[in-house]
Amino acid sequence: DRRREAPAAGSPIQPIIKDVGEIYSRLLDHRPVIQGEIRYFVKEFEEKRGLRELRVLENLKNTIFETNEHVLPKCEQAMRDNLNEAIKRLQAANSKIHRLQEREHEERKLQADKLMAREEKRTAHQEELIKEQQNKQAEVDEEHRKAVERLKEQYSEMEKELSKYVSF
C-alpha cells in the first residue's frame, strides 16, 4: 500500500516515478496488448465463422429444397411404380402357388382313393384266401376223420380176425 501511495505533489522524485511507471507499462505490462490481440482475434473469428456458417446453412437450405422439390417426388413415383409391379408379380405368384396347391391336393386325393381301393381289394382277396383255406382245412379234416374211421374199422376187423386165431 505504501508503494502505491503517491508522494507529495511537489516532490522531485515524482516525474521519475511517472517515467518508470510508463516504461514498466510499455515494456513489462502486456495486458493491454494481449487484450487488443484477443479482441481482434475474436472479431476476425466471428466474422469468418459467421460467413462460413451462413454458407453452410445456405447450402443445406438449397439441398433440402432440391430434395423436397425434385428428388423426393421422383423417388415416390419410382417407389409407387416398383411397388405396383412387385404387387402384381406377388399376386401372380400367389395365384400360381394356389393352383399348384389345388393340383397337389387333387393328386393326393386321387392317390389316397387309389390306395383305399387297393386296400379294399387286398382285404377282399385276403378274406377270400382265408375262406378258401378254411374250406380246404375242413376238407382235409373231413378226409382225415374218414381215414381215421377206416383205419379203426380195419384195425377192429383185424383184431376180430386175430382173436379167432388166438383161441387156438
Side-chain angles (χ1 to χ4, degrees), residues 22-46:
E22 283 182 27
I23 291 171
Y24 170 80
S25 39
R26 285 187 182 185
L27 294 177
L28 300 175
D29 189 15
H30 301 296
R31 283 181 285 174
V33 174
I34 292 174
Q35 286 176 350
E37 287 296 319
I38 289 172
R39 278 191 228 111
Y40 175 74
F41 177 78
V42 168
K43 181 180 171 188
E44 287 292 316
F45 182 77
E46 285 178 348

Side-chain angles (χ1 to χ4, degrees), residues 110-165:
L110 286 175
Q111 288 177 356
D113 291 345
K114 286 180 183 178
L115 185 64
M116 287 296 289
R118 278 190 241 143
E119 182 67 24
E120 288 173 2
K121 188 176 180 181
R122 185 190 62 77
T123 305
H125 183 66
Q126 188 176 10
E127 288 175 1
E128 186 179 312
L129 283 175
I130 290 173
K131 284 181 184 178
E132 188 177 317
Q133 287 294 334
Q134 287 173 348
N135 290 339
K136 285 183 180 181
Q137 182 182 1
E139 285 177 16
V140 168
D141 286 345
E142 183 62 28
E143 282 182 33
H144 181 269
R145 189 185 59 75
K146 285 180 183 178
V148 166
E149 279 197 29
R150 272 190 310 225
L151 284 174
K152 276 185 184 179
E153 285 178 19
Q154 184 180 0
Y155 280 118
S156 73
E157 279 182 31
M158 286 173 80
E159 207 176 290
K160 283 181 190 177
E161 280 190 34
L162 210 99
S163 65
K164 288 182 193 177
Y165 294 113

Side-chain angles (χ1 to χ4, degrees), residues 90-103:
L90 285 173
Q91 288 172 342
N94 193 18
S95 66
K96 286 181 182 179
I97 288 172
H98 185 67
R99 282 182 290 196
L100 285 173
Q101 285 177 336
E102 286 178 357
R103 286 182 196 160

Side-chain angles (χ1 to χ4, degrees), residues 50-132:
L51 293 176
R52 186 179 68 213
E53 287 178 355
L54 279 175
R55 284 191 302 257
V56 168
L57 289 174
E58 187 67 31
N59 287 341
L60 283 173
K61 180 182 134 191
N62 290 337
T63 303
I64 291 171
F65 178 77
E66 178 72 23
T67 302
N68 284 339
E69 293 298 317
H70 301 291
V71 176
L72 191 59
K74 287 179 184 177
C75 288
E76 286 177 355
Q77 186 60 39
M79 185 178 66
R80 281 191 193 107
D81 294 343
N82 289 334
L83 282 177
N84 287 336
E85 182 66 29
I87 288 172
K88 288 177 185 175
R89 287 183 180 179
L90 285 173
Q91 288 172 342
N94 193 18
S95 66
K96 286 181 182 179
I97 288 172
H98 185 67
R99 282 182 290 196
L100 285 173
Q101 285 177 336
E102 286 178 357
R103 286 182 196 160
E104 187 176 315
H105 180 68
E106 289 173 4
E107 287 178 16
R108 284 184 184 169
K109 187 177 178 185
L110 286 175
Q111 288 177 356
D113 291 345
K114 286 180 183 178
L115 185 64
M116 287 296 289
R118 278 190 241 143
E119 182 67 24
E120 288 173 2
K121 188 176 180 181
R122 185 190 62 77
T123 305
H125 183 66
Q126 188 176 10
E127 288 175 1
E128 186 179 312
L129 283 175
I130 290 173
K131 284 181 184 178
E132 188 177 317

